[in-house]
Amino acid sequence: MSLIHTENLTKIYGSGETAVTALDHVSIKVKEGEFVAVMGPSGCGKSTLLHLLGGLDSSSAGKVVIDGTSLAEMKDDDLTKLRRQKIGFVFQFYNLIPVLTAVENASLPITLDGVRPAEARKRAAEWLERFELGERLNNRPDQLSGGQQQRVAVARALVAEPALILADEPTGNLDTRSGDEIASLLREVTKKYGRTVIMVTHDPRIAAYADRIIFLKDGKVIDETILEKKNGKNADLLAGKMKEIGD
Amino acid sequence: MKLQLTLAWRYLKGRKLRSFLTTLAVVFGVLIIFGMNIILPTMLAAFNANMLAAAGAVDATISHQTGGSFPPEVADGLADIDGVRAITISLNRVVNLPTDFVDDNPAITDRISAVTLIGIDPETARSLRIYQIQEGGRFLEPGDTAVTVISQSLADAYRVGLGDRIALPSVSGVVDLTVVGILPTRTVPGNEEVLVTLPQAQTMTGQEGQITAIDIALDTTDETERAAILAEIESAAGDSYTIGSLQPGSEMFASLQMGQIAMNMFGVLALFMGGFIIFNTFRTVVAERRRDIGMLRAIGANRRTITAIVLIEGLLQGVIGSGIGLVLGYWMGAGIVRLAEAPMNIFLNIRMGNPVVSPTLIATSLLLGVGVTVLAGLIPAQNAARVTPMDALRPTVAEMETRHRMGAGAIAGIVMIAVAIMALLTGETSFIALGSLLFLIGLILVAPLLLHPIAYAFGKLTALLYARQGIGDLAHGNLTRQPSRVVITASATMIGLAIVVALGGMTSSLSDMLNSTVRSSLGSDYLLIPPSISVWSGDMGSGPELTERLQAIDGVGDISTLRFAVTAINGQSISLIGINPETYPRVSGLDFLEGDETAYEALAEGRAMIVNGSFTIALAGLEVGDTVELATPGGDQTYTIVAVGSDLLNAKVVTAYISQANLAADFNRTDDVFIQFNLLPGVELESVDSQIKEVAANYPQFTVLAGRGYIDQMLELVKVLFLGMYFLLAFLALPSLIAMVNTLAISVIERTREIGMLRAVGATRKQVRRMVVAEALLLAAVGTAFGILAGMYLGYVIVKAMGVMFPISYMFPLGGILGGIAIGLIFGALAAIIPARQAARLQVVEALRYE
């Protein structure tokens, strides 16, 4: 059974002559526990797709269904609640609150959900320890490296135990090594902790960590590839594909 | 809630300088409001302390509603009321003493500047109060003349003992009193008392057959019974009499209240500016944290949570700022009370106690401070809630406003300004006052429209200054890019400078008026001045003998005197000044607002009075031609208002002028409290001077001054006063500086990346610094231009409003305008220093990476 699926999802920015179609009748399905990468050249609509999946933006036509509920019919407060409880986000620029410590940042979603601070802290600390940040619980973001900050962000995405993690270019701001770390961390999230991850990236090496790749171009799904083995060759394969569709 | 609080607190801590500056804005407003409102109650408490001290063990004191004297017959019959244990009558009179009168030593600061002369009935007085006469002395006895009982402390001040004599001024010259008894050292606040027999006091004050108080003791302590007895006493005494303490301070209380209202206005303006500054800061804060807020929304914070975070931040600043404001305000209030102690003691004979702080005042100040902060944060907080989760994901693009077209706001602004100008043309004070508000708001609304041309013009100027570098243009571009932010800062500057220019206009008009009034009111050749020239009730006057002897001197021309009494119209206390309608206009004169010199003739002919501007304000609705009932010791008397006019000495107190004949007939007052006279033409000052001083020597309550000298002294005083005003103005301009530093600092922070780019493409530190300074000067120029416009309007309104009280005409405030321009530009440059250094110091790489 699919955790999340879209039906003819369409997003048009602007109107009249200046209208731009960012997504054009996209229908995809993602199963529980799957690690899906969305790839495509700049402006193909991959980020827009992610925003619509997360209920951050509203669609022009079509719908997004999570766990049998269509997002289009939800009010802002309900959407907020859905994001808080069912979806975790990882952004390119980490987006940690600069004035809060690592553990405070990681515990934000459940604190917002009304979990008692001591309990929230405990749960956030557990995730940070799993991600080898046990020593840095009380450091502020500016005292952490980029890779460490992104790991805090992943911990934050997982702390509320959501079924779905949406990652928008999670390695875009990192060096190669840290990027690999984060990508394998996300893989671990699906395999070890059973979460579903949808990740947008344009980096074939990072996408190669996923189970399945969805290729987007000009707002349309043009190809899908299921990766059997996670090795270096996959990356070459994907790079070739990207070149093919005109990156 | 805890999360919101943590976030708010951390954010505030993260930007210490900015938090400090914005909080300072709140501190400032609360400080002024709180501090200034401490002063009046403290002075009031000092009055009451004096009164309480006088009341002592007495259950009730009956006095005339005017506080003036009345015939002793009123007491008849009161003693027969059931429940009255004892009753005694007395004549109380505060006597201001001339400088160095008691100790005769100019080197020692006068501790005793006034005493209360109390004439008592020795037999009945002792049935109400206990007088602990020290060994060797005795108490007063009926029939005593020229003897007194005083306290040990007063005896020490006079350096006398039993059997020695002390001198006191009286209406018929200095009187020596032999000390027959000494009471213990006085421990309660208030004036030292000089106890004499009732007839002695009546002679000394020229109030024969008059008393001022009836003291009553009851024979029960049961509250219900006491209330019933007091009610019976009250009805027996009649409407004109009140039970309770005397109200001698009312005339000066009124002028203090005026001062308090003015200061409160300043405080409210300061808070208003504080609100502006906070609004501006929070707007920027929200813009800066768009990404943080968007992320919070993305991970599940709802709109209410976001609003709460911003509001709590405002609340924190409001609470902290108000708290500090309260503390500093208390210090300021207490400091002013301390400073005022000496002059209050000398001029008004009040001894100050500790600063009085009422819980209501604390609550109001806190509420105002916190309320303004939270209100100012409301709109930015709601804007913050409107940030979508998408904002967390978008790359930051510098906000670019392109609102050059006419908005509804600008049209409303133009309409408001037009209405304000029309109101100005009507000449109606209330319309004009309303117009000033419209004018200010209108200016703020049209500011975005005017901003472009003004910034352009000044931009050209700075571009000329920094020729070849193109920096002026850049600064101009930076400002016009975000008109709303600039307008807010410029508005804060505008309000600050408007106050400076308005008050500048007011002060120059006022000083012009004062100079001319000083000359007309005090322009006589000789002046005999009592210790207090603004509050007459404590001045011991002189009997007719003094003026008769002065008149007898060869070469002395017309003599004009002022006599004083208090009355009331419908319970509103009023000062009465008795003038001689014949000589007064020749020696001195009133400035008439309505009516003319013929009014003096009306005073001579019957019960007519001229009232001053304060009177027409206090008793609004009364006009020339109306009749009013004045409360007199012998019942109400009908007087007709014949003109509105004022002299310098009585301008700020609610005053009516009547003839001295009427003052004597209706109020039993014949003593002169202020004397001025001219010499006959051709008479040289030197030839009569010694004779005049000799005659006056027996009346030490008066200081003899040759008129011109006094005028110079007064003008000097006026100058000092105005210096204080200008100091206050500078103090008020301070919040504008804070606002400007704030906006500039914020604009630098906002454009960190841009500045990094400028540096990367080759701008030197110096160039960046200059760009920021040019921007600051532009901002200042815009604010200053608006401020001067608004200030001129406001100043006109204030002068117009004061014209109701004084004959005053509007003077173009050239000084104020020049001062305003100077302050505006200097502040602009000052405000640029911190941000300019910050901008220049930025590391290129860091700046480019800045999120």
Side-chain angles (χ1 to χ4, degrees), chain B residues 754-768:
Chain B
E754 201 179 302
I755 290 169
M757 183 273 292
L758 274 176
R759 296 269 287 119
V761 300
T764 62
R765 275 166 201 262
K766 208 172 171 185
Q767 279 171 318
V768 169

Side-chain angles (χ1 to χ4, degrees), chain B residues 227-543:
Chain B
I229 300 166
L230 287 179
E232 198 178 339
I233 292 170
E234 199 161 9
S235 73
D239 279 349
S240 312
Y241 295 88
T242 52
I243 292 193
S245 56
L246 298 161
Q247 295 289 340
S250 55
E251 47 173 330
M252 104 123 211
F253 186 68
S255 59
L256 268 180
Q257 228 165 3
M258 291 260 282
Q260 191 190 22
I261 290 170
M263 285 316 290
N264 273 346
M265 251 179 59
F266 287 144
V268 167
L269 272 170
L271 258 188
F272 182 65
M273 269 197 277
F276 237 85
I277 293 169
I278 285 169
F279 171 69
N280 193 21
T281 309
F282 275 89
R283 254 170 38 95
T284 330
V285 157
V286 169
E288 252 175 51
R289 293 196 208 134
R290 263 192 124 65
R291 206 174 259 269
D292 287 7
I293 296 169
M295 186 278 298
L296 281 172
R297 292 277 289 127
I299 65 170
N302 57 27
R303 297 209 158 117
R304 282 184 302 281
T305 311
I306 303 292
T307 312
I309 289 175
V310 179
L311 277 185
I312 285 176
E313 212 172 315
L315 196 69
L316 265 179
Q317 282 195 291
V319 169
I320 294 171
S322 303
I324 298 174
L326 284 189
V327 173
L328 293 183
Y330 180 81
W331 282 352
M332 184 181 78
I336 291 179
V337 166
R338 278 291 143 258
L339 281 178
E341 200 161 18
M344 289 288 283
N345 204 352
I346 291 166
F347 292 118
L348 305 166
N349 307 303
I350 299 170
R351 209 161 297 162
M352 306 288 277
N354 286 326
V356 177
V357 181
S358 69
T360 336
L361 176 60
I362 297 182
T364 325
S365 307
L366 270 178
L367 207 70
L368 270 175
V370 176
V372 163
T373 328
V374 171
L375 263 182
L378 213 56
I379 294 175
Q382 275 170 348
N383 283 343
R386 257 179 249 126
V387 171
T388 66
M390 294 293 293
D391 287 298
L393 311 165
R394 277 193 201 113
T396 32
V397 180
E399 211 183 324
M400 179 89 185
E401 290 178 55
T402 45
R403 208 155 36 104
H404 290 317
R405 65 200 165 78
M406 289 262 278
I411 294 169
I414 290 172
V415 172
M416 279 185 190
I417 291 174
V419 170
I421 290 171
M422 267 162 20
L424 196 63
L425 294 176
T426 63
E428 277 286 324
T429 315
S430 49
F431 279 151
I432 298 176
L434 193 72
S436 65
L437 197 69
L438 286 179
F439 196 72
L440 265 182
I441 298 173
L443 269 183
I444 294 174
L445 287 176
V446 295
L449 268 189
L450 295 175
L451 184 70
H452 216 281
I454 294 180
Y456 184 77
F458 282 95
K460 281 281 166 251
L461 210 70
T462 43
L464 272 178
L465 279 176
Y466 301 138
R468 289 184 296 123
Q469 295 176 350
I471 288 164
D473 279 340
L474 206 56
H476 158 232
N478 281 336
L479 282 188
T480 45
R481 196 175 63 182
Q482 289 189 324
S484 55
R485 172 173 59 80
V486 173
V487 162
I488 286 162
T489 315
S491 301
T493 316
M494 174 182 93
I495 294 167
L497 282 178
I499 296 169
V500 172
V501 174
L503 294 190
M506 186 195 83
T507 29
S508 55
S509 305
L510 198 62
S511 93
D512 181 59
M513 188 275 292
L514 274 179
N515 285 345
S516 76
T517 324
V518 164
R519 278 173 224 288
S520 71
S521 286
L522 305 173
S524 58
D525 292 333
Y526 270 94
L527 295 165
L528 268 64
I529 296 169
S532 166
I533 57 160
S534 50
V535 182
W536 304 106
S537 58
D539 290 324
M540 175 64 78
S542 64

Side-chain angles (χ1 to χ4, degrees), chain A:
Chain A
M1 195 210 137
S2 68
L3 173 74
I4 181 167
H5 73 268
T6 67
E7 288 169 23
N8 293 322
L9 196 59
T10 303
K11 177 76 186 177
I12 300 167
Y13 289 110
S15 60
E17 286 177 21
T18 56
V20 175
T21 307
L23 281 184
D24 194 357
H25 297 86
V26 173
S27 300
I28 58 168
K29 274 186 187 171
V30 179
K31 281 185 298 195
E32 239 179 282
E34 208 181 357
F35 185 5
V36 175
V38 180
M39 287 194 80
S42 301
C44 68
K46 54 187 190 294
S47 285
T48 306
L49 175 64
L50 202 74
H51 298 159
L52 290 177
L53 292 179
L56 299 180
D57 207 353
S58 55
S59 62
S60 308
K63 61 181 179 181
V64 177
V65 181
I66 297 181
D67 249 0
T69 324
S70 169
L71 299 192
E73 286 132 36
M74 295 174 86
K75 287 200 196 90
D76 185 77
D77 271 359
D78 297 329
L79 266 179
T80 305
K81 208 166 167 195
L82 176 96
R83 282 200 299 269
R84 202 191 278 169
Q85 291 168 351
K86 293 205 170 151
I87 306 174
F89 286 94
V90 181
F91 305 110
Q92 179 180 355
F93 294 107
Y94 336 128
N95 282 6
L96 301 177
I97 303 283
V99 295
L100 296 181
T101 62
V103 68
E104 282 166 341
N105 263 297
S107 64
L108 263 180
I110 44 176
T111 317
L112 286 169
D113 209 22
V115 174
R116 279 185 304 107
E119 168 72 14
R121 196 185 156 83
K122 200 178 119 239
R123 276 159 65 182
E126 276 168 22
W127 279 107
L128 290 173
E129 273 153 24
R130 278 172 208 155
F131 296 163
E132 290 158 22
L133 285 168
E135 309 281 299
R136 327 232 49 169
L137 295 184
N138 293 314
N139 288 46
R140 280 201 317 271
D142 59 358
Q143 297 163 325
L144 299 173
S145 74
Q148 287 171 329
Q149 288 188 52
Q150 195 61 302
R151 272 185 279 157
V152 174
V154 176
R156 181 179 66 191
L158 285 162
V159 76
E161 311 286 344
L164 177 66
I165 308 287
L166 298 174
D168 188 3
E169 300 276 12
T171 63
N173 220 24
L174 297 174
D175 59 61
T176 320
R177 225 189 63 201
S178 307
D180 282 333
E181 268 174 37
I182 292 298
S184 58
L185 195 68
L186 287 174
R187 178 155 190 85
E188 197 184 319
V189 165
T190 54
K191 302 306 157 218
K192 196 166 163 189
Y193 303 109
R195 308 296 147 85
T196 310
V197 174
I198 303 176
M199 167 177 79
V200 159
T201 183
H202 66 272
D203 185 346
R205 217 171 33 77
I206 298 302
Y209 284 86
D211 298 322
R212 178 158 66 103
I213 316 286
I214 295 172
F215 291 96
L216 277 183
K217 192 184 178 183
D218 298 334
K220 289 178 188 146
V221 178
I222 52 166
D223 199 358
E224 275 190 50
T225 306
I226 294 173
L227 301 173
E228 296 301 336
K229 283 181 187 159
K230 320 305 167 222
N231 57 31
K233 279 185 187 153
N234 281 342
D236 294 340
L237 177 84
L238 291 174
K241 259 221 153 76
M242 283 289 281
K243 207 162 263 169
E244 210 175 285
I245 62 175
D247 184 9

